[in-house]
Amino acid sequence: MHFGVFDLFKIGIGPSSSHTVGPMKAGKVFMDRAIADGLDIARIETELYGSLALTGLGHGTDTAVLLGLEGNDPAKLNPDTVPDRLARIRQENTLKLANDREIPFVEKQDLDFRGDIRLPFHSNALKFRVFGPGEDLLREEIWYSIGGGFVIDEHEAGRNSAADVKEGEPYPFNSAQELLDIGERTGLSIHRIMLENERAFLPEDTIRAGIEGLWRTMEDCIDRGLRQDGILPGGLNVKRRAPKMFRDLKEEAKNPTDDPLAPMDWINLWAMAVNEENAAGGRVVTAPTNGAAGIIPAVARYFDRYHRDPDDEEALQRFFLTAAAIGSLYKKNASISGAEAGCQGEVGVACSMAAGALAAAMGADNHQIEDAAEIGMEHNLGLTCDPVGGLVQVPCIERNAIGAIKAIDAARLALRANSEDMKVSLDQVIETMRQTGLDMMEKYKETSQGGLAVNVVEC
């Protein structure tokens, strides 16, 4: 089963890949199928379960479902148009389907949050029902949003794979050890192994251009986050901190001090700028999720600004291809879903991906890359997902800044270590992360029923 660069990195809108991007995609695909099958659609009902219901309002799941049912693609949707689209749906009590048919839709009746029900396969579940003109049930389907914007229906869940799964890459790997073995056998670096696998499905020029496009989108997101002042939506009255921090750092740069840790301020800034944009519903790149979207852009910009040789045109390609290789191991063998594994599955995975990617960009060998990725996760094990108010704001925004710093430290530790002295492998830490997620109490897995979510007074 191949998970590639453009599976792990997807352009979408905030605030959540599993609670916003995934449900929007599920709604769109469900309706596209219903329309293609010629169903005489008169009414639609949607039920949300588990984590989608418990934190759905804070994560924009209601918005996502409405937009998805109208046929919107999160990768193409302009987030600036969302308020007007929602206002029209709610004022007119209608949905405009992709086939231009208009049907009645009363949100309080047709969109139900069932936080008391958790379906066995995954906490992020939703059910769609389509009714005909005589209120006869035409179709009913259960869908799961399994993290990082990935969605599968109940039939695919039974097979534990998506219908469009890709196979046939020249260097298949399902563990870090297999990845290292391929490198030993072929002499290929991890990023080159990943590139060769990607080439089984896309031309190399398309792959490279796609990676450049992802990087440009990340850069645009950082820069927009540095400009946008104001209060984040959702009711917590969280103020955007990145713009003021940016202005302060620019002013301090005019009178530089001997502070050796000054670059840390910029790394924190870049990560927070992305996640403030995400919290505001802006355009972000899932990396591998929206809740952890700031870590990889911040680390990549750190490398680009402080370490990249201007003549090394391959550096950022190495970075993203390596990050995707590492991320695919978590996707295959553990989870990238906060509702399934806690925040170790989001910030922890992003930190691990960024650490290995930075090591690769700085010229590390395959074993050092594996060491960096392992260190990045080892010190995020057990990290809970307990968003205050069900919003991707507290502690999520600052947590991305800390995750970016951890990733850089992990890469630097790995580059100075002897791999033979390392006692924990990446495969071992991924399995530990999976087991920890299973053992973690449900209230710490994106339900807002434990941790900071119940101990911080909302005001």
Side-chain angles (χ1 to χ4, degrees), residues 368 371 375 411-422:
Q368 291 173 315
D371 292 341
I375 295 168
R412 295 180 70 89
L413 279 172
L415 285 165
R416 291 187 177 275
N418 184 338
S419 290
E420 294 178 358
D421 296 333
M422 302 296 286

Side-chain angles (χ1 to χ4, degrees), residues 109-282:
Q109 299 174 11
D110 297 327
L111 180 60
D112 194 8
F113 290 78
R114 297 300 307 273
D116 57 320
I117 299 175
R118 187 197 190 282
L119 299 191
F121 180 75
H122 198 286
S123 182
N124 289 338
L126 59 167
K127 180 186 288 184
F128 299 109
R129 295 189 187 96
V130 167
F131 297 88
E135 279 297 296
D136 48 324
L137 180 62
L138 302 180
R139 180 168 296 176
E140 177 179 283
E141 290 182 6
I142 294 173
W143 283 74
Y144 298 95
S145 179
I146 58 175
F150 289 91
V151 293
I152 55 176
D153 64 24
E154 55 193 318
H155 303 295
E156 294 162 351
R159 296 192 301 268
N160 206 27
S161 66
D164 61 349
V165 66
K166 295 179 289 188
E167 295 178 337
E169 67 269 42
Y171 301 113
F173 60 89
N174 290 304
S175 69
Q177 187 57 56
E178 290 178 6
L179 187 56
L180 292 173
D181 289 344
I182 293 168
E184 292 286 344
R185 187 174 70 249
T186 64
L188 295 174
S189 60
I190 288 175
H191 88 275
R192 191 71 207 187
I193 294 168
M194 197 66 183
L195 178 61
E196 292 302 315
N197 285 346
E198 292 288 291
R199 288 178 61 199
F201 310 104
L202 292 169
E204 184 169 338
D205 288 349
T206 302
I207 298 164
R208 293 183 179 278
I211 291 172
E212 286 292 332
L214 290 171
W215 175 228
R216 284 196 301 273
T217 303
M218 289 179 175
E219 291 250 80
D220 290 345
C221 184
I222 292 173
D223 292 339
R224 192 172 194 274
L226 301 180
R227 298 191 302 268
Q228 301 298 310
D229 279 299
I231 303 296
L232 294 173
L236 277 184
N237 294 318
V238 173
K239 186 176 182 180
R240 286 184 184 246
R241 293 156 61 185
K244 181 181 184 303
M245 190 173 173
F246 179 50
R247 292 191 292 268
D248 289 346
L249 288 175
K250 284 198 301 180
E251 190 63 32
E252 290 170 15
K254 296 177 183 178
N255 300 291
T257 65
D258 292 329
D259 181 2
L261 297 180
M264 287 179 61
D265 292 331
W266 289 96
I267 298 160
N268 288 330
L269 169 66
W270 298 328
M272 292 176 64
V274 170
N275 280 83
E276 288 178 353
E277 272 298 288
N278 178 64

